[in-house]
């Protein structure tokens, strides 16, 4: 990455308050509260023009590194609604619950697994020290929906509580319709829905969110080896896209934290103002999913090894992360308010990896009242647009235009000035170092592609 070549960037910067990111996201069109004109809906958000670009880049980079660069991995895209039996077989109808206790005094509600042990033992509210209800109440997180229009004939089902279920449902179809053999994996990026009782912290805990999953099917004897492979691969993947490498760690789940389907689990965690929090889970799902779906559907979901003819139920390594949590963590990781050496307003800058930045380049004519400069700048901009997201801007002085781009993480700004008209060169200014170089227009595209395209 060119941006880390000279000075250390944000290694010592303080943890960023979530409110700064919420405000930037609204102001610059990354994220809006859903149904805002009606007062909003807790835990549901819409993505604006820059948010969509950033999300698409994050998704594409994941897909490229998980599917495109692995011969033994293919992708699917499943529906958000499935047969209701899926959620009985998966264990979610029975086990996908939060246990909550209310405070008798201040009426606040707490998740039992989030309460400090001392408060739980003494039934003491962490908010007002009042008395907590003795018996927790149990809430299922699945979101119900109904298929059909005729009252009485409608079938109750669920929006998917975890996106990965489609992969188990389609596993046999993929085996039969592709040339995959075990060990192999299926990837998917898709929405999941949970009636979270305590949504909050912006995109961190939502009710509608997006997950990326790999389900990797292996012979039980090879489980350990593949579990280790994917654990390391996913950890390195996250490390490659953040600036603060020391804020990333891998943590093993204690046995009492394990989800109902997991025999072992590790979380990739990232440290923000919220503390160390899960970013992605790597789960040893064993044969839980295929065995349960085989049992509930009556279908044989086993695999016959073409060489040995051994018939067995494959075991599964799962890597399951959140697109929205990635989006939020990357902004928290990248955001900096850099003091101005001349004592003016600090420079707000997003040190996003150039691969992921929503806008790759901005093109400016030095002055907006010089027709030749504008014509040249517009022509360079429209050429670049065919290959990457480029913005044209002629409003305000150059310093202000740089600031606008820094705030949204644009890694390069190109200025067309009077020298351009003489020698066909332009100034390229880099976001993090604020360094500038002059290069010929006919080298500009390659210069930028080299730096903004992943490889
Ligand atoms: N299939 C396994 C599974 O769903 P999970 O740990 O519940 O595991 C995987 O979810 C990832 O999905 C999490 O690591 C997190 O990044 C994201 N995620 C889970 N619940 C979320 C929520 N309410 N809002 C935003 N992201 C969420």
């Amino acid at each position: 990455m060119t941006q880390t070549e000279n000075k250390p960037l944000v290694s010592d910067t303080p943890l960023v308050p979530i409110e700064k990111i919420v405000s930037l996201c609204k102001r610059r069109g990354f994220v809006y509260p859903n149904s805002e004109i009606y007062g909003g809906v807790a835990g549901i958000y819409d993505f604006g023009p820059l948010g969509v670009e950033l999300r698409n880049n994050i998704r594409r980079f994941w897909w490229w590194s998980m599917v495109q660069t692995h011969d033994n991995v293919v992708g699917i895209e499943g529906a958000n609604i499935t047969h209701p039996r899926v959620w009985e077989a998966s264990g979610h109808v029975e086990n996908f619950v939060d246990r909550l206790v209310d405070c008798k005094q201040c009426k606040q509600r707490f998740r039992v697994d989030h309460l400090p042990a001392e408060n739980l033992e003494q039934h003491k509210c962490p908010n007002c020290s009042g008395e907590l209800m003795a018996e927790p109440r149990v809430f299922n997180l699945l979101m119900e929906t109904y298929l059909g229009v005729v009252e009485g004939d409608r079938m109750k089902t669920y929006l998917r509580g975890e996106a990965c279920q489609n992969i188990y449902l389609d596993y046999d179809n993929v085996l039969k319709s592709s040339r995959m053999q075990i060990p192999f994996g299926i990837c998917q990026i898709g929405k999941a829905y949970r009636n979270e009782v305590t949504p909050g912290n912006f995109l961190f805990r939502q009710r509608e969110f997006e997950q990326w999953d790999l389900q990797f099917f292996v012979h039980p004897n090879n489980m350990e080896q593949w579990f280790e492979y994917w654990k390391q691969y996913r950890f390195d993947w996250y490390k490659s896209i953040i600036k603060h490498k020391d804020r990333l760690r891998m943590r093993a789940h204690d046995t009492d934290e394990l989800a109902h389907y997991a025999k072992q689990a590790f979380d990739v965690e990232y440290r923000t103002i919220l503390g160390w929090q899960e970013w992605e889970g790597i789960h040893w799902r064993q044969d839980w999913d295929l065995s349960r779906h085989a049992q509930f559907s009556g279908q044989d979901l086993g695999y016959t090894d073409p060489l040995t003819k051994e018939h067995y139920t494959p075991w599964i390594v799962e890597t399951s992360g959140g697109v929205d949590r990635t989006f939020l963590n990357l902004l928290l990781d990248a955001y900096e308010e850099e003091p101005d050496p001349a004592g003016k307003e600090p420079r707000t800058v997003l040190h996003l990896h150039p691969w992921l930045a929503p806008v790759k380049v901005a093109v400016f004519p030095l002055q907006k009242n010089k027709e030749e400069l504008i014509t040249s700048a517009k022509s360079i901009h429209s050429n670049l647009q065919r290959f990457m997201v480029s913005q044209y801007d002629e409003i305000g002085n150059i310093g202000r235009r740089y600031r606008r781009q820094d705030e949204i993480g644009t890694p390069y700004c190109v200025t067309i000035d009077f020298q351009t008209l003489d020698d066909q060169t332009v100034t390229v200014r880099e976001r993090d170092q604020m360094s500038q170089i002059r290069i010929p227009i006919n080298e500009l595209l390659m210069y930028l592609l080299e730096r903004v395209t992943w490889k």
Side-chain angles (χ1 to χ4, degrees):
M1 275 174 70
T2 51
Q3 80 227 62
T4 52
E5 275 161 14
N6 302 330
K7 62 170 180 154
L9 285 172
V10 282
S11 52
D12 299 325
T13 50
L15 296 171
V16 178
I18 303 268
E19 298 72 46
K20 295 252 184 207
I21 302 301
V22 176
S23 154
L24 174 78
C25 281
K26 177 97 191 286
R27 195 170 67 249
R28 298 305 310 268
F30 283 88
V31 184
Y32 310 125
N34 174 272
S35 315
E36 196 181 11
I37 57 170
Y38 291 99
V41 183
I44 304 195
Y45 290 92
D46 290 346
F47 290 83
L50 290 179
V52 170
E53 296 296 342
L54 177 57
R55 268 175 95 78
N56 281 345
N57 291 345
I58 294 172
R59 285 198 202 104
R60 276 196 224 111
F61 180 52
W62 183 88
W63 196 265
W64 175 83
S65 51
M66 297 295 285
V67 182
Q68 206 173 324
T69 60
H70 281 97
D71 287 331
N72 54 0
V73 178
V74 290
I76 63 157
E77 191 169 314
N80 289 341
I81 298 176
T82 56
H83 196 285
R85 290 279 281 164
V86 170
W87 302 99
E88 290 166 29
S90 71
H92 284 75
V93 170
E94 192 184 341
N95 298 312
F96 199 41
V97 292
D98 271 349
R99 295 168 62 233
L100 303 173
V101 280
D102 292 346
C103 171
K104 290 182 183 169
Q105 194 168 303
C106 71
K107 309 290 179 214
Q108 205 167 320
R109 183 170 284 174
F110 303 93
R111 266 175 66 170
V112 169
D113 58 338
H114 287 176
L115 271 179
E118 182 192 308
N119 295 76
L120 197 57
E121 280 156 22
Q122 298 170 8
H123 298 293
K124 194 169 91 184
C125 172
N127 183 39
C128 71
S129 297
E131 192 188 343
L132 294 177
M133 301 276 205
E135 282 306 314
R137 288 192 292 162
V138 173
F139 288 86
N140 192 291
L141 303 189
L142 287 175
M143 264 190 210
E144 293 173 4
T145 187
Y146 294 86
L147 294 175
V149 288
V150 180
E151 197 65 42
D153 265 357
R154 300 201 309 166
M155 178 166 76
K156 181 174 119 179
T157 185
Y158 306 96
L159 299 179
R160 58 186 176 183
E162 57 172 4
C164 65
Q165 287 298 324
N166 296 75
I167 298 183
Y168 315 130
L169 303 176
D170 289 336
Y171 147 84
D172 202 42
N173 279 329
V174 171
L175 256 186
K176 288 176 179 149
S177 61
S178 69
R179 300 180 58 199
M180 288 292 126
Q181 288 181 4
I182 281 177
F184 82 102
I186 304 178
C187 274
Q188 182 187 230
I189 300 179
K191 293 275 192 177
Y193 302 83
R194 295 182 186 174
N195 249 327
E196 295 282 1
V197 200
T198 50
N201 290 317
F202 194 35
L203 306 180
F204 184 80
R205 193 170 306 286
Q206 298 172 82
R207 288 176 164 148
E208 172 177 327
F209 55 98
E210 197 164 43
Q211 294 185 310
W212 45 44
D213 287 299
L214 160 75
Q215 305 295 320
F216 199 78
F217 302 86
V218 300
H219 187 283
N221 292 348
N222 299 328
M223 183 71 179
E224 184 81 50
Q225 168 205 337
W226 283 109
F227 192 66
E228 288 309 316
Y229 171 83
W230 286 111
K231 224 169 84 186
Q232 190 63 47
Y233 188 86
R234 295 303 300 148
F235 186 79
D236 293 344
W237 189 87
Y238 284 108
K239 203 165 175 182
S240 76
I241 53 171
I242 53 170
K243 313 277 341 147
H244 297 96
K245 316 283 184 201
D246 57 328
R247 293 185 190 162
L248 195 73
R249 74 175 185 191
M250 185 73 93
R251 187 183 67 81
H253 276 212
D254 293 330
T255 34
D256 60 353
E257 300 177 73
L258 290 173
H260 60 272
Y261 48 73
K263 301 283 176 294
Q264 258 194 64
F266 285 79
D267 282 345
V268 177
E269 292 189 334
Y270 183 73
R271 188 164 64 89
T272 68
I273 200 92
L274 306 173
W276 286 102
Q277 296 288 347
E278 174 185 344
W279 192 343
E280 168 156 323
I282 323 288
H283 304 131
W284 177 299
R285 290 184 81 122
Q286 207 148 314
D287 61 344
W288 165 266
D289 306 280
L290 292 182
S291 295
R292 292 276 294 193
H293 284 304
Q295 183 194 334
F296 278 67
S297 66
Q299 305 290 316
D300 177 9
L301 297 179
Y303 174 79
T304 305
D305 187 293
L307 293 177
T308 65
K309 307 297 176 211
E310 182 191 359
H311 190 72
Y312 60 92
T313 303
W315 285 16
I316 293 175
V317 181
E318 170 183 72
T319 73
S320 181
V323 177
D324 308 86
R325 229 170 254 191
T326 303
F327 188 102
L328 175 63
N329 284 350
L330 288 182
L331 292 179
L332 287 165
D333 185 75
Y335 185 94
E336 192 187 9
E337 287 175 10
E338 251 180 30
D340 184 272
K344 294 188 202 145
E345 238 178 85
R347 176 174 88 115
T348 302
V349 53
L350 285 183
H351 298 286
L352 285 171
H353 197 303
W355 295 347
L356 305 178
V359 177
K360 305 299 184 193
V361 61
V363 182
F364 312 146
L366 183 66
Q367 291 175 14
K368 76 167 185 180
N369 50 1
K370 289 281 179 262
E371 206 47 55
E372 306 96 298
L373 296 183
I374 290 177
T375 308
S376 173
K378 284 192 171 166
S379 142
I380 289 171
H381 162 64
S382 68
N383 275 334
L384 291 175
Q385 265 185 320
R386 296 165 55 221
F387 300 91
M388 63 190 76
V389 177
S390 170
Q391 279 191 353
Y392 171 83
D393 188 5
E394 57 180 32
I395 310 293
N397 64 39
I398 290 286
R400 287 232 155 270
R401 287 183 251 172
Y402 282 153
R403 288 281 178 110
R404 279 201 287 274
Q405 296 299 330
D406 290 343
E407 199 182 41
I408 61 169
T410 307
Y412 297 99
C413 293
V414 173
T415 304
I416 285 74
D417 56 19
F418 292 104
Q419 190 181 330
T420 312
L421 306 178
D422 286 341
D423 66 4
Q424 298 296 298
T425 63
V426 291
T427 305
V428 182
R429 182 260 200 185
E430 192 272 337
R431 174 195 68 201
D432 296 332
Q433 308 299 333
M434 296 188 279
S435 56
Q436 302 195 2
I437 58 163
R438 259 204 110 82
I439 60 171
I441 293 173
N442 61 14
E443 289 173 21
L444 179 64
L445 175 63
M446 281 318 290
Y447 179 90
L448 294 173
L449 282 177
E450 267 293 304
R451 287 158 179 79
V452 303
T453 318
W454 51 72
K455 46 196 163 292

